[in-house]
Amino acid sequence: MRALVLSGGGAKGAYQIGVWKALKKLNIKFDIVTGTSVGSINGALITQNSYFTAIRIWKKLSYEKIFDEKFNNNEDIRSIYKKFAKNFFNEGGTEAKELKKLINQKLNKKKFYNSKINYGLITFDITHKRPIQLEKKDIPKDKLADYILASASCFPAFKKMEINGIEYIDGGYYDNLPINLAIKMGADEAIVVDLGAIGVKRITKSKIKKITIKPNNDLDNFLKFDKDIARRNINYGYNDTMKIFNKYEGNKYTFQLNQLEKIENKYKQNFKIILNKAFSSTDQIEKLKKILNIKSRENIKKELIKMIIEDIGYKYKIDDSKVYTINKFNKILIKKIKKKIKSKEEDSILSFYKHIKQNNYSRIKKDAVIRPFDLIRSIYIYTIMEEINE
């Protein structure tokens, strides 16, 4: 049996919905869903197959949708921490009243309990200091929302959850990545979505075939509940999953398959020409290649091309949540480069690019010792700029 294992991670949980979106696209099914904290919330929606409900919840996310008080989404995370800390010292934590209402509204108990997918969650009984691992069959229908909220009660930011006189806190205090619960429920393979959030991760007790999906990009803070961040994180989850299953390529940026090869040969050719012009001896070129960790006789491999492209993407603030062809990516990059050149906003990469255009190889040789990575980035800029002039 295959399990989908969902870690905790607070506001980062939108990523898991993006993973689900990709799994649906790939027609990958599972028999079990286990979740801790936000993973238990998403897991319940997945179990009852409420995909569009889950998308709507995350795309409309705000502090007001979770807490019974107003937060300013423009506040920096330090201010948000202070607010949570104040609530903890004054009231024992922030009460997620609106989240409880939302869970009650969106849970379809008939669909949930009749689903062919089994479900498990983890919470921690702070009254008796013991973990609680519950399967679908163990959760009373009238307490389903309570136990899900108990699993997601991220104490001390959130208040403890009381059920029948017993206080519960976030399941991440015991196991933030409930693979062992999935195994206990009969899983022999698993797709594991690890948000990389703070929490205990227990060693897997037995061998299990697993595919782990982790964010390649920054999902922002786990307490930053913001609809724009959530939408972006859904895209990240989708993109990373499609890359894991070899439908897209890239690391932090996402490209359609075989796109990077389109620029690779042209880049390698320019790389070799420019280095040979700038450096008079093979020893100097080999020294530079060593600094750049280029070991191939062909001077440069696809992985380094990927690194260069993604690094330039961040440098020039290209959206990393979209799916690109290399032509589309380069068009956006060229537009940004032209804007910088026009405004005379020169940086070290564009400085190298200018020297390449002017055949000023003595200056390139001098500056490359100090900024070798900017040189290889500038060769990429030169390559795509020359391509549009052909």
Side-chain angles (χ1 to χ4, degrees):
M1 286 198 291
R2 183 187 293 138
L4 178 63
V5 178
L6 305 173
S7 80
K12 299 180 181 187
Y15 181 91
Q16 295 172 344
I17 302 304
V19 173
W20 185 23
K21 180 182 176 181
L23 294 177
K24 286 174 73 67
K25 174 85 172 176
L26 297 166
N27 200 29
I28 294 172
K29 301 185 186 300
F30 30 85
D31 311 288
I32 297 164
V33 177
T34 60
T36 298
S37 196
V38 72
S40 71
I41 298 172
N42 287 333
L45 293 168
I46 291 169
T47 299
Q48 68 184 42
N49 197 27
S50 295
Y51 170 72
F52 292 107
T53 297
I55 289 284
R56 281 194 296 270
I57 288 170
W58 282 102
K59 285 190 173 182
K60 293 180 178 179
L61 192 71
S62 67
Y63 287 104
E64 287 78 8
K65 298 276 185 186
I66 297 171
F67 309 107
D68 191 24
E69 60 179 287
K70 285 190 177 290
F71 281 73
N72 181 356
N73 283 341
N74 296 321
E75 286 183 275
D76 61 32
I77 197 62
R78 197 174 294 179
S79 302
I80 292 167
Y81 278 143
K82 282 181 181 177
K83 191 167 283 191
F84 277 111
K86 182 182 176 182
N87 287 347
F88 169 68
F89 287 115
N90 291 342
E91 300 174 34
T94 304
E95 189 165 0
K97 284 182 182 178
E98 294 305 309
L99 179 60
K100 186 173 181 178
K101 282 183 194 175
L102 187 66
I103 291 171
N104 272 311
Q105 285 170 4
K106 302 305 178 183
L107 276 176
N108 185 320
K109 291 177 185 177
K110 185 176 179 181
K111 284 174 70 177
F112 177 85
Y113 283 100
N114 289 338
S115 170
K116 291 179 181 178
I117 299 171
N118 198 3
Y119 170 83
L121 64 76
I122 294 179
T123 184
F124 192 84
D125 173 353
I126 194 70
T127 303
H128 302 101
K129 296 180 174 55
R130 62 180 182 178
I132 302 295
Q133 302 183 74
L134 298 173
E135 295 182 39
K136 187 199 287 187
K137 62 182 174 59
D138 303 319
I139 307 172
K141 288 185 181 181
D142 64 333
K143 298 294 180 186
L144 177 59
D146 290 343
Y147 278 109
I148 290 171
L149 198 60
S151 178
S153 291
C154 184
F155 183 79
F158 293 12
K159 282 185 176 180
K160 300 167 191 172
M161 181 67 193
E162 187 177 318
I163 305 172
N164 299 329
I166 298 171
E167 290 186 319
Y168 296 90
I169 57 173
D170 197 288
Y173 281 91
Y174 175 71
D175 190 354
N176 205 38
L177 196 62
I179 302 171
N180 289 321
L181 175 57
I183 294 168
K184 182 183 171 187
M185 292 168 67
D188 50 23
E189 61 177 297
I191 296 169
V192 180
V193 188
D194 183 358
L195 297 174
I198 296 169
V200 176
K201 290 179 187 175
R202 297 196 169 269
I203 297 169
T204 308
K205 290 178 180 177
S206 58
K207 286 185 179 179
I208 183 172
K209 181 183 174 184
K210 66 178 179 177
I211 295 169
T212 301
I213 301 169
K214 292 182 176 181
N216 287 318
N217 306 75
D218 179 16
L219 303 184
D220 221 308
N221 193 277
F222 78 105
L223 288 175
K224 205 160 185 182
F225 298 96
D226 175 85
K227 64 183 179 182
D228 293 327
I229 293 171
R231 286 169 188 235
R232 188 188 67 200
N233 288 348
I234 289 171
N235 289 343
Y236 288 151
Y238 179 83
N239 294 346
D240 287 347
T241 305
M242 297 298 274
K243 281 181 269 193
I244 286 284
F245 288 97
N246 300 313
K247 300 300 179 184
Y248 291 152
E249 63 182 345
N251 183 24
K252 290 181 181 297
Y253 282 86
T254 305
F255 295 92
Q256 292 179 9
L257 279 182
N258 305 317
Q259 287 295 304
L260 300 183
E261 291 170 3
K262 290 185 177 182
I263 199 74
E264 185 180 356
N265 289 330
K266 288 183 180 181
Y267 182 89
K268 284 196 296 189
Q269 186 181 3
N270 282 335
F271 184 87
K272 187 175 181 180
I273 290 167
I274 291 164
L275 257 61
N276 284 335
K277 283 183 179 180
F279 298 95
S280 54
S281 75
T282 305
D283 287 345
Q284 288 173 318
I285 294 174
E286 289 303 317
K287 185 177 179 182
L288 182 62
K289 283 164 64 179
K290 190 175 181 181
I291 292 169
L292 298 170
N293 196 26
I294 300 168
K295 298 173 183 176
S296 167
R297 289 180 183 177
E298 295 178 345
N299 295 324
I300 194 156
K301 299 291 279 184
K302 186 176 175 181
E303 283 305 307
L304 187 55
I305 286 280
K306 189 195 299 180
M307 182 202 80
I308 293 161
I309 291 171
E310 296 195 340
D311 187 60
I312 290 172
Y314 273 101
K315 171 78 176 174
Y316 294 107
K317 295 181 172 59
I318 294 175
D319 188 345
D320 61 358
S321 69
K322 293 182 179 178
V323 180
Y324 295 97
T325 62
I326 196 65
N327 289 338
K328 185 178 178 183
F329 182 90
N330 286 344
K331 278 180 183 177
I332 295 167
L333 178 56
I334 288 165
K335 190 175 179 181
K336 288 177 177 284
I337 295 297
K338 284 183 173 179
K339 189 176 178 182
K340 266 188 168 289
I341 291 170
K342 190 176 180 180
S343 65
K344 297 182 180 177
E345 257 186 87
E346 192 172 284
D347 55 38
S348 56
I349 297 172
L350 293 184
S351 177
F352 270 120
Y353 167 67
K354 182 179 74 177
H355 293 317
I356 294 169
K357 287 278 290 178
Q358 294 170 349
N359 288 309
N360 189 358
Y361 286 99
S362 58
R363 183 62 185 268
I364 290 169
K365 180 178 179 178
K366 182 181 175 183
D367 290 350
V369 178
I370 305 166
R371 298 190 299 274
F373 283 98
D374 282 347
L375 171 60
I376 63 171
R377 292 166 188 143
S378 71
I379 297 171
Y380 186 83
I381 300 293
Y382 174 78
T383 301
I384 63 171
M385 293 294 276
E386 287 300 297
E387 192 173 32
I388 63 167
N389 292 328
E390 286 177 0

